[in-house]
Structures are given as structure tokens and as C-alpha cells.
Amino acid sequence: MIYFTGDTHFADSRVLRIDRRPFPDMASHDVTLIQNWNEIVGPQDDIWHLGDVMSFRGGDCDQLLSMLNGRKHLIVGNNDPSTTTEATGWASVQHYKEMMLDDHLLILCHYPFRTWNKMGKKSINLHGHSHGRLKPLPRQYDVGVDAQGLRPVSLDALLSTKSGL
């Protein structure tokens, strides 16, 4: 399976205040996000993290990545320091990716686009960054945890929702 997520912001207390995530502290936030991830993503699955993984104050990114299931791919976000992008636990690191999945061309970037490659030919833009606050265009989905119940999501699950259609 292939899953998508973004904007986890591990060890970044700003999300408790700015995004009003329902946790009393960062420890419970991070434990819950790790549990949610591992309940969905298996060790042999691929997961694309569309940016803003963790605060530079959060410690060792490789230690965090070792606690998360799956082969992890990073699409770099605006809050990903070199301690995150240079961690060895990533299977790949890039700013942008186009990939075919189940006969769908996916355009992956941390940032949502207003237009994207092959938009008129039904390609799909997956993004983070907006924390569930941006009204999507057709075939555009925010895969960040704020928009997806604090969990990674599959393409099938996204396509079964009414948002982005």
C-alpha cells in the first residue's frame, strides 16, 4: 500500500495553539500521531510525507523515523530543517514528485497549487501546508493530518470523499 500524510509537526508546540490540535501537551500529541501512523501504515508500505515533519528542537529525526512504520519518502516543507531533510531514515527526499498510482497521475508538493501539470487531463494534486483551511480545487486534496483526522490516508480513501471532486 501507499499512504500520504503531512504537517505532523512533531515536537512543535505551535500546532497546539495555532491549529488547536486536541492535546494537553506535545508528548501526548506525538504519541497519538505515532500510534495513528502505525495503526494504518505497515512495515512494507510506502508513505509519502508532504512536509513539515518535526521541529528542529524535536531531537533526532532518525530516532523519530525509526518509530514509524513504512518506507518513508519526504516532500520537503517550509518547516523542514536540515536535521530533517538530511536524516538517513528517508527512502527519498525531494521538493516535488510526479507519480502514477492506480492509473492516476499524482502531483505531490508541500504547497497546494492553483494549477498543476496535466490538470486538464485529470491529474491529482496532493499537498499539505494549509492545515485543512484551504478550499480545494477539483482533484486537489490536503493530505495533512489536520485535514485527515490526524492520520495518514490512502488515495482510495481520498477519492471516496466528496472534497476535491
Side-chain angles (χ1 to χ4, degrees):
M1 283 292 296
I2 297 176
Y3 295 96
F4 305 92
T5 194
D7 299 306
T8 49
H9 288 277
F10 289 105
D12 186 348
S13 60
R14 296 175 306 160
V15 296
L16 298 182
R17 184 180 69 258
I18 297 169
D19 297 313
R20 298 184 184 134
R21 291 189 186 169
F23 301 97
D25 53 52
M26 284 313 297
S28 57
H29 171 272
D30 292 357
V31 165
T32 299
L33 265 61
I34 291 168
Q35 287 174 338
N36 289 351
W37 178 305
N38 290 336
E39 285 174 6
I40 293 170
V41 179
Q44 300 306 314
D45 294 331
D46 282 285
I47 180 156
W48 289 84
H49 194 300
L50 274 55
D52 291 359
V53 177
M54 71 182 295
S55 169
F56 71 92
R57 294 181 194 95
D60 183 357
C61 187
D62 275 312
Q63 182 181 6
L64 170 67
L65 294 175
S66 73
M67 293 186 280
L68 298 167
N69 287 342
R71 283 182 302 276
K72 295 162 278 291
H73 304 269
L74 175 62
I75 301 293
V76 179
N78 60 304
N79 288 302
D80 288 320
S82 61
T83 53
T84 295
T85 61
E86 295 171 6
T88 60
W90 298 112
S92 67
V93 177
Q94 58 254 297
H95 289 268
Y96 175 91
K97 173 77 173 170
E98 294 186 11
M99 63 186 283
M100 290 297 297
L101 179 60
D102 301 332
D103 297 322
H104 297 282
L105 175 62
L106 304 181
I107 310 300
L108 310 181
C109 189
H110 176 64
Y111 306 100
F113 294 132
R114 291 294 94 185
T115 63
W116 56 88
N117 189 32
K118 298 190 179 175
M119 181 179 182
K121 297 189 182 214
K122 301 195 180 208
S123 64
I124 298 169
N125 173 219
L126 303 183
H127 67 88
H129 189 64
S130 61
H131 294 257
R133 294 187 195 108
L134 182 68
K135 182 179 179 190
L137 293 176
R139 294 178 313 281
Q140 182 179 60
Y141 299 89
D142 182 346
V143 300
V145 295
D146 296 296
Q148 300 300 328
L150 303 173
R151 300 174 174 278
V153 63
S154 68
L155 181 61
D156 285 344
L158 291 169
L159 295 177
S160 70
T161 67
K162 295 209 183 286
S163 83
L165 294 178

